[in-house]
Amino acid sequence: MLDTGSTGFMLVCTMLVLLMTPGLAFFYGGLSRRKNVVNTMIMTFAVLGIVGVAWVAAGWSFAYGGDGSLPFFGGVDQLGCLGAVNDLLAEAEGTPDAFAVLSGAATLGPEAEAGYPGIIDIAFQMAFAMITTAIITGAVAGRMKFGALCAFAAVWVLLVYAPLAHMVWGGEGSLIGETIGALDFAGGDVVHISSGLTGLVLCLMLGRRRGFAVMSYRPHNVPFVVLGATLLWFGWFGFNAGSEFAADGVAGLALVNTVTASAAALVSWLAMERVRVGKPTLVGAATGLVAGLVVITPAAGFVEPWAALVMGVLVSPVCYFAISFCKRRLGYDDALDAFGCHCVGGVLGGVLTGLFCVPELSWTDFGGLLYTGDATLLGAQVLGIVVTVAFVVVADVVLGLIVRALFGGSLRVSEEDEALGLDVATHGESAYPAYLGLD
């Protein structure tokens, strides 16, 4: 009954998504200041451990436990991934229910012609939780206490990410995915809007870095940025294609759309830089690539390649405007542009899904406005985004205040540590010891 092709496909996709978080460490590390690169990268690496433990202990159950009837929450019946090997034991005994796909996003069952062991979903969804939580760290780089960041990440993945994943992908009773009817193929709401918006909330609570809007913060290592973007790009194919949960044509469509949107966004970003500042940059190319990946994520398996091309072309000027104009004009210090790239790009992708979704590929009864002339899906997409934003902002503020109280009333490092650099002040090591005279 098991389809070894889909099983192998999901194993490979899981490993690709797991690669994305270390890739993000290089991307963020290259964008950061020289004296903070270790701190920036270790925040991302710490997430690997924190989320890995939290997801097995309770995150999986909170997101995908229960019977799928609750709108906001999975359940507590699978704490510690209790019963995760039942399908493997059934397979060994040769019983009819030899496999069971545990994720609410999948539709495979005992009578399906193809399937894979449900235990793979635990790791696949864990990898999603890891990269989502890690994205947040980019907004607070260079000034947040490491312990406070770790505490916030541990609570956030359980009380914000897991419930939101359930609301979108949790089954027939889920609020956003079923009741509202919004589509999110691979994580526009769940991954990008939630992480980027959380980054914005935290950076507002922290305040600006020393010298913000006075001195220029330049990426200290452009090759690191490109290496990180490359690893993200490669891993994203598992991220989007794997969200079909089967080795089939829709997975192929998601892969093609991922390549198309990222390519178009890269070219669009270079064109924007050429027009705005007169010179295309390698950092800009890498940022455009990531923006294209973000915008196609909610639509990857729902739209045709021409629509992915349009989405990629549109996302770069929108994110470029958010990063280069809105941040400066509004004065918030989103250090590595987690909000400007991920939240803004995710919102745009979710809205455009409501325009370009092919009706026959929709998980609901409705298709995109362009195909049907019916704005029902577009309205559902907008409402789903509004609900996501409201839930995330309220939860973030509450959690941020609690963590701040636990850490002496401040999430931020001292002025002395910030001036010295968090690599040495917090971790006692430097990526470039000779530069700091520490060799």
Side-chain angles (χ1 to χ4, degrees), residues 314-338:
L314 293 177
V315 72
S316 287
V318 172
C319 288
Y320 187 94
F321 177 79
I323 291 170
S324 64
F325 180 79
C326 293
K327 184 168 72 169
R328 183 175 65 252
R329 180 60 63 90
L330 299 178
Y332 61 88
D333 187 8
D334 176 12
L336 306 181
D337 299 312

Side-chain angles (χ1 to χ4, degrees), residues 39 73 129 136 148 212 215 231 242-243 256 259 282 294 321 394 403 430:
N39 176 257
F73 183 77
I136 298 168
F212 178 77
M215 60 185 297
L231 292 172
S243 293
V256 171
V259 179
L282 188 51
V294 170
F321 177 79
V394 172
V403 173
S430 169

Side-chain angles (χ1 to χ4, degrees), residues 420-438:
L420 176 62
L422 300 188
D423 290 1
V424 173
T426 302
H427 309 290
E429 61 182 348
S430 169
Y432 312 101
Y435 170 78
L436 295 175
L438 300 177

